[in-house]
Amino acid sequence: MWKGSRAAADGQALETGGIATSILHGEGVPLAPWAGYVLAVAIFGAALAARFAMLPVEGGLGFLTFYPAVALAALLFGTGPGLLTMVLGAVTALYIFMPPFWAFKLVFEQMLSVATFSFSGAIICFLTHQMRHHAEELKSTMAALQRRESELARANERLQDLDRAKSEFFSNVSHEFRTPLTLMLGPLENLLAESAGTLSEESRKTLELAHRNALRLLRLVNALLDFSRMEAGRVRPNREATDLAAFTAELASHFSSACTGGGVQLIVDCPPLPQAVGVDRAMWEKIVLNLLSNAFKFTFAGSIEVRLRDLDEQVVLTVRDTGTGIPRHELPHLFERFHRVEGARGRSFEGTGIGLALIHELVRLHGGSVAVDSEQGCGSAFTVRVPFGTECLGETRLGDGAEETARHTSANAIVSEALRWLPEHAETETAPATIARGQVVVADDNQDMRTYVTRLLEAAGYAVEAVGDGEAALAACRTHLPDLLLSDVMMPGLDGFGVLKRLRADAATATLPVILLSARAGEEAKVEGLAADADDYLVKPFGARELIARVDGAIRLAQLRRKAQEKLMHYMAELERSNRELDDFAYIASHDLKEPLRGLHNYASILREDYEACLDDEGRRCLERMQRLVERQTLLIDRLLAYSRLGSSKLDKEPVALDHVLDEVAEDLRSFLSDQGVQLVRATPLPTVRCNALRVGEVFQNLIVNAAKYNDKPEKRVEIGCSGAAPPVFYVRDNGIGIAPQHQDSIFRIFKRLHEQDKFGGGTGAGLTIVKKIVERHGGRIWLESTPGEGTTFYFTLSGETP
C-alpha cells in the first residue's frame, strides 16, 4: 500500500515538474482548449480582485493588474485566452474604473487609454505566441540534436571497434606471414650459400630474384606489424645513449652507391653533438632509412642532404632533396596512413603508403615531431626533432653482435630495393632483327618483374624489349612497332591506362595488341581494364604458363586480324579496279554505240525530208517511231556516259549563287514547261554555296522535268525553295501522281522505272540515279516524301559550305 502511494506521488511530482518545465520554456500548460478560456476568466477575476484591494475604484491606474493577467493567460494557455483576458480588462476598466460609471459617453482620454491598453495586450499576446512557437522549434531541434549525437556516438563506437579489429587483423596476419617467410628465406639463403659453384647462372639469378623479393615482402610485413603494434599502444622505445651523429652518418652512407648510380649527390653533414642522445636505435634506423629511401625515390638529379644539428636541447635531423616535390594541397595529408600522392613522378610506383605515417609514429614515441616543407618541382625537406633524452643511462655505443648484423641486413634490404629502381642499359637495347615468334615490349617499374617476365618470354621464343615507365614504353612502340605491349597499370609518370589511350589515339599504333598487368584483382578492375580498350587483363600474381598462353593468344589473334584486314584491303582494291574497268567499259561502249545511232538518225531525217510524200500513213508512222526510238536510245546513252563520268571526274567547287543557276535552268526548260502547262514557283530565295554549278543545275533540271512529266492534274505546279537551316535543305515539290510507298526506297536505283512509257512519255531510269550521285559527290544526301495522288517532294542537301 505504501509502495503504491509512493509511486503515485512520484508520478504526480514528475507530472508537476514537466508542467513547470513547459512553462519555463514558454510551451504553456497541456489542457483542453475550453479549459484554457475558463482558467483565463479565473485569472482575470483574480486580477480584478487585486485591483479592488490595492487601489480606489476610480483612477488612471485602472489597467495596472490587467497587464500581468493578459501576459499570464497568454503564456499559460495560448493566444486566444490571452486576448479574452485583454478584452475583459478593457471593458471592465472602461465601465467601472473610469467616470462616469456605466456611461456610454466616452471622452478622448478614455478612448486613448483603452486603445493603448488593447494595443499593448495584443502585442503581449503576439510576443507570447512567438515565444511558444520558437520554444517548440527549439525543443524539436534539441531532440534532433540529441538523436544525432546518439547516432554519432554509436557510429564512433563502431568505428573504434572496426579500427581495433583492423589493428588486430594486421597484427595477426603479419605474425602469420612471418612464419612462411622465415621458412622461405632460410632455405633460399642456404641454397645460395652452399651451391655457389654448382648452380647455373640462370638458376642463380632465379634464386636471387626469389630471395630479394622475399626480403622485400618481409620488410613490408614488419612495417605493417610495427604500425599495428604502435596503434595498439604495445610499443615503447628502448632508449639507449647513442652517438647519434656517427650513427646517422653510418646509416646515410648505405645510400652512397645508389645515389652515385642514380646521378644524385649525397651530402652527409652530421658533426659531433655535445652529448649522447637517448633514442631507440632500431626506430632511429627506420626513420633515417625511410626518409632517405623516400628522397632517393623522387629525386632524379641534384642532391640529397642529410643534416644533423642540436637546437634548443633538441636534435634536429633534416633530409633535404632537389626532387619532384609535393603539391601544397597534399602536405596536410602526407603523414596519414595509406595516403599516397596521386600522379607523383618517382623512380617507382611501388609502396604501401605507410612509410611516412610510420616515421610520424616513431618520432612521436620519442617525444618529438616531424614536419615537411616542399615546393612542387623544387624538392622537399623533412625535419625531425627529438629531445636529447638526458634521463637515459649507460655508456654511449654503436651496437654490436647480433643486433649489428640485423641492422645491416635491414639497411641492405632497403638499399637493395632502391638499387632496383635504377635502369639497366641492357634492358633497353633494340631487339634483334631476327625474331622467332614475335617482338614484345614489357613495361613495368619493378626491375625484378621486368627481369622475370623477360626471362619467361625469351624462353618461349619471343624477342623482348623491357622498359621502366610509360613514356619509355610509348617511345619503344613508336620506334619499332612490336607485336604486343605487356604493360603494368601502376607506373610513375604515364601509367598503363595513359599509354593505352595514347597508343589508340595514334593511327600507327591503334591496332597494337595490349595486355595490362595489375595487382588489382576482382571483376571491377578487369572490367575497367577491358573498357579502356585493352586486349587482355592479367592479375598479379600470375603463373608462367598463363602469361605465355595469354601472350600467344593475343599475338595470334592480332595476326589473324591483320591477315583479315589485308584480305579486306585486297578485296576493296579489286572491287575498285573492277568498278573503274566497268566505268571505262560503259564509257567506251556508250561512245561506240552513239556512232551508228547518229547515222540512223541522219538517214531517218533524210527519208522524212525527201521521201515522206512517197510514203503512206503506215510508212510515216513507222518512220516517226524509228526517230523516237533513236532519240530515246541516244538520251539513254548520254545518261549512261554522264553516270560513268561522275564516278571518276574531278568535281570543282566554287561559290555559286543558286538563284542564278535556277534562272538558267528555268530558261532552258521554258518551252518544255509551257508545252506541259506547268507553273514553276520559287517559294524562297536560294543561298550562295560552294558547289559545282553545272552539276547542281543538272539536279534541279532532272527533278523539275520529272515533276512536270509525271503529273496528270489540270493545274500542274512545281515549287522550289529551301529552309534556313545550316546546312540548308533544298526541296522540289509537285502536285503530281506521287510514288507508292513500296517504290520509294528503290526510286534512286539506275534504270528503275515506275510508269509506262505511253502514259507519261517514257524515261531512261537513270535521271534520279544521276541526281543522287551528284548530291553525294557534294557531301550531301537526298530523300523524298510522297503521297500517291497528291504529289511528291524531293529534299536534298549539299556540303553546306559557305563561301
Side-chain angles (χ1 to χ4, degrees):
M1 185 70 179
W2 179 84
K3 291 182 179 179
S5 301
R6 179 61 180 272
D10 290 343
Q12 185 176 4
L14 288 173
E15 183 177 356
T16 304
I19 293 174
T21 303
S22 298
I23 294 172
L24 289 174
H25 286 83
E27 300 175 9
V29 179
L31 295 173
W34 60 268
Y37 287 97
V38 172
L39 292 175
V41 173
I43 290 176
F44 169 74
L48 184 61
R51 170 67 176 79
F52 278 119
M54 290 187 298
L55 297 172
V57 174
E58 296 182 11
L61 300 177
F63 303 104
L64 181 63
T65 59
F66 294 153
Y67 281 109
V70 171
L72 186 61
L75 180 64
L76 294 179
F77 311 119
T79 305
L83 292 174
L84 176 61
T85 306
M86 180 199 70
V87 172
L88 292 174
V91 172
T92 302
L94 183 62
Y95 290 103
I96 295 179
F97 301 113
M98 293 184 179
F101 299 111
W102 305 105
F104 290 92
K105 182 179 178 181
L106 301 178
V107 298
F108 176 76
E109 291 81 2
Q110 293 171 332
M111 293 177 62
L112 182 61
S113 179
V114 171
T116 303
F117 170 74
S118 301
F119 180 71
S120 302
I123 291 178
I124 291 172
C125 293
F126 173 74
L127 293 177
T128 306
H129 171 75
Q130 291 296 107
M131 184 176 67
R132 289 164 60 90
H133 175 69
H134 289 307
E136 291 175 358
E137 289 185 347
L138 181 61
K139 181 181 179 181
S140 61
T141 303
M142 291 296 294
L145 288 175
Q146 289 175 354
R147 290 194 301 270
R148 186 63 176 169
E149 184 178 0
S150 177
E151 292 174 359
L152 288 175
R154 289 194 297 269
N156 188 43
E157 290 177 2
R158 288 196 297 269
L159 287 175
Q160 290 177 354
D161 291 340
L162 288 174
D163 192 57
R164 285 192 295 269
K166 174 188 64 64
S167 298
E168 291 176 3
F169 168 77
F170 276 133
S171 179
N172 294 336
V173 168
S174 300
H175 275 293
E176 293 300 322
F177 278 167
R178 289 167 66 92
T179 300
L181 281 171
T182 302
L183 296 176
M184 289 168 56
L185 285 168
L188 284 172
E189 291 171 353
N190 291 337
L191 189 59
L192 285 170
E194 296 173 0
S195 306
T198 59
L199 289 175
S200 65
E201 186 65 22
E202 191 71 17
S203 298
R204 171 166 288 278
K205 286 183 178 180
T206 303
L207 288 176
E208 289 175 349
L209 175 66
H211 181 259
R212 187 165 53 247
N213 283 275
L215 282 175
R216 180 171 181 268
L217 181 58
L218 178 61
R219 191 170 69 83
L220 294 175
V221 168
N222 286 337
L224 284 173
L225 180 60
D226 291 342
F227 200 82
S228 62
R229 290 174 60 201
M230 281 187 289
E231 282 191 321
R234 296 197 299 265
V235 175
R236 294 288 183 273
N238 181 22
R239 293 176 178 267
E240 301 176 66
T242 304
D243 183 353
L244 200 60
F247 187 38
T248 303
E250 180 187 358
L251 292 173
S253 67
H254 286 86
F255 270 84
S256 59
S257 59
C259 289
T260 301
V264 178
Q265 182 184 9
L266 178 63
I267 302 172
V268 181
D269 183 13
C270 299
L273 298 174
Q275 59 179 325
V277 182
V279 295
D280 185 303
R281 298 170 60 80
M283 291 184 180
W284 186 257
E285 175 190 343
K286 291 174 183 176
I287 292 170
V288 175
L289 293 180
N290 273 285
L291 287 175
L292 278 169
S293 175
N294 193 69
F296 179 72
K297 183 177 183 179
F298 296 101
T299 303
F300 295 87
S303 63
I304 298 174
E305 180 184 4
V306 181
R307 190 169 182 267
L308 194 70
R309 293 289 188 274
D310 65 293
L311 181 65
D312 298 331
E313 298 184 356
Q314 285 185 325
V315 178
V316 180
L317 170 68
T318 303
V319 178
R320 186 185 306 276
D321 63 66
T322 58
T324 57
I326 305 164
R328 287 290 178 185
H329 66 275
E330 294 281 0
L331 294 179
H333 310 286
L334 203 60
F335 297 103
E336 294 177 0
R337 293 175 294 175
F338 311 115
H339 179 76
R340 301 180 65 181
V341 179
E342 293 294 334
R345 176 174 171 262
R347 296 181 184 271
S348 172
F349 202 79
E350 298 172 340
T352 59
I354 64 172
L356 292 177
L358 182 63
I359 291 173
H360 181 270
E361 291 299 317
L362 292 174
V363 173
R364 183 185 62 81
L365 289 173
H366 281 81
S369 64
V370 59
V372 59
D373 181 25
S374 181
E375 183 177 351
Q376 195 168 11
C378 297
S380 305
F382 287 85
T383 303
V384 175
R385 299 175 182 271
V386 294
F388 272 94
T390 54
E391 71 278 4
C392 296
L393 302 176
E395 297 180 356
T396 301
R397 65 187 185 87
L398 289 177
D400 55 7
E403 183 179 312
E404 190 76 13
T405 302
R407 179 168 57 80
H408 279 292
T409 301
S410 176
N412 289 334
I414 295 176
V415 174
S416 176
E417 181 179 351
L419 288 170
R420 304 302 293 176
W421 297 338
L422 299 176
E424 290 185 358
H425 297 291
E427 288 186 319
T428 57
E429 293 179 356
T430 304
T434 303
I435 300 174
R437 300 182 62 182
Q439 181 182 356
V440 179
V441 172
V442 175
D444 199 301
D445 61 325
N446 185 291
Q447 183 176 336
D448 284 338
M449 180 60 69
R450 294 197 301 270
T451 303
Y452 173 65
V453 173
T454 299
R455 189 178 304 137
L456 291 178
L457 292 176
E458 287 179 344
Y462 289 101
V464 180
E465 183 176 357
V467 294
D469 57 67
E471 292 290 351
L474 200 62
C477 292
R478 288 173 174 173
T479 303
H480 301 286
L481 186 65
D483 295 291
L484 176 76
L485 170 64
L486 190 66
S487 174
D488 188 21
V489 170
M490 301 178 70
M491 292 185 294
L494 187 65
D495 64 5
F497 287 120
V499 173
L500 182 59
K501 183 178 180 180
R502 290 171 65 174
L503 287 175
R504 295 293 185 247
D506 189 346
T509 57
T511 59
L512 175 66
V514 177
I515 297 178
L516 293 179
L517 302 176
S518 177
R520 292 177 55 199
E523 183 178 356
E524 290 183 1
K526 187 172 184 179
V527 169
E528 182 184 3
L530 296 177
D533 208 11
D535 293 85
D536 204 349
Y537 188 92
L538 194 56
V539 178
K540 300 176 183 177
F542 49 80
R545 295 174 61 186
E546 181 183 9
L547 174 67
I548 299 301
R550 296 285 186 96
V551 171
D552 288 345
I555 290 180
R556 281 200 300 268
L557 185 59
Q559 290 172 346
L560 290 175
R561 285 202 302 259
R562 193 178 301 115
K563 290 179 181 178
Q565 184 71 18
E566 290 174 356
K567 287 184 179 180
L568 179 60
M569 296 299 294
H570 175 71
Y571 291 149
M572 292 293 291
E574 287 291 324
L575 181 60
E576 186 177 353
R577 184 179 60 81
S578 299
N579 286 336
R580 285 198 304 270
E581 291 177 353
L582 183 61
D583 288 341
D584 293 341
F585 170 75
Y587 180 80
I588 294 171
S590 301
H591 186 271
D592 291 343
L593 285 173
K594 289 184 68 174
E595 289 299 323
L597 286 174
R598 191 178 297 112
L600 285 173
H601 184 270
N602 292 337
Y603 283 122
S605 299
I606 293 172
L607 285 174
R608 189 165 187 177
E609 291 175 2
D610 297 343
Y611 301 101
E612 185 176 9
C614 302
L615 298 175
D616 57 9
D617 293 339
E618 181 65 24
R620 283 192 290 272
R621 281 196 302 272
C622 290
L623 184 59
E624 290 175 0
R625 185 172 178 77
M626 183 177 68
Q627 281 187 310
R628 286 198 302 271
L629 289 174
V630 170
E631 290 172 356
R632 187 178 183 290
Q633 191 68 22
T634 302
L635 179 60
L636 179 61
I637 291 173
D638 288 339
R639 291 289 176 86
L640 186 59
L641 282 171
Y643 183 77
S644 64
R645 284 196 297 267
L646 278 174
S648 57
S649 62
K650 182 180 178 182
L651 194 67
D652 295 323
K653 296 181 182 180
E654 60 183 357
V656 175
L658 294 186
D659 272 329
H660 295 165
V661 173
L662 189 57
D663 289 341
E664 294 177 358
V665 171
E667 182 65 27
D668 293 340
L669 296 176
R670 178 185 296 177
S671 59
F672 169 76
L673 296 176
S674 178
D675 293 342
Q676 295 288 330
V678 176
Q679 180 187 5
L680 185 64
V681 179
R682 190 173 311 181
T684 62
L686 302 185
T688 298
V689 298
R690 288 186 61 84
C691 65
N692 185 285
L694 179 62
R695 296 304 184 190
V696 174
E698 290 183 38
V699 171
F700 281 117
Q701 181 173 339
N702 275 283
L703 292 178
I704 293 171
V705 168
N706 270 13
K709 184 185 295 183
Y710 299 105
N711 196 325
D712 57 0
K713 302 294 178 61
E715 295 183 0
K716 301 178 182 180
R717 175 185 173 91
V718 178
E719 179 183 323
I720 300 174
C722 76
S723 70
V729 177
F730 304 94
Y731 65 86
V732 178
R733 180 178 295 125
D734 65 65
N735 62 339
I737 62 174
I739 303 171
Q742 64 269 25
H743 298 308
Q744 292 180 10
D745 291 337
S746 59
I747 193 68
F748 295 106
R749 292 184 197 163
I750 193 167
F751 306 132
K752 179 69 177 178
R753 297 174 58 200
L754 306 180
H755 308 288
E756 294 297 330
Q757 173 182 348
D758 293 339
K759 186 176 181 180
F760 295 104
T764 63
L768 289 179
T769 307
I770 292 174
V771 167
K772 183 174 184 291
K773 196 161 188 177
I774 292 173
V775 169
E776 290 177 346
R777 286 291 305 276
H778 279 81
R781 67 186 187 96
I782 185 169
W783 68 99
L784 65 92
E785 294 177 358
S786 182
T787 302
E790 297 183 9
T792 302
T793 303
F794 284 90
Y795 299 94
F796 67 92
T797 62
L798 299 174
S799 64
E801 300 177 19
T802 56

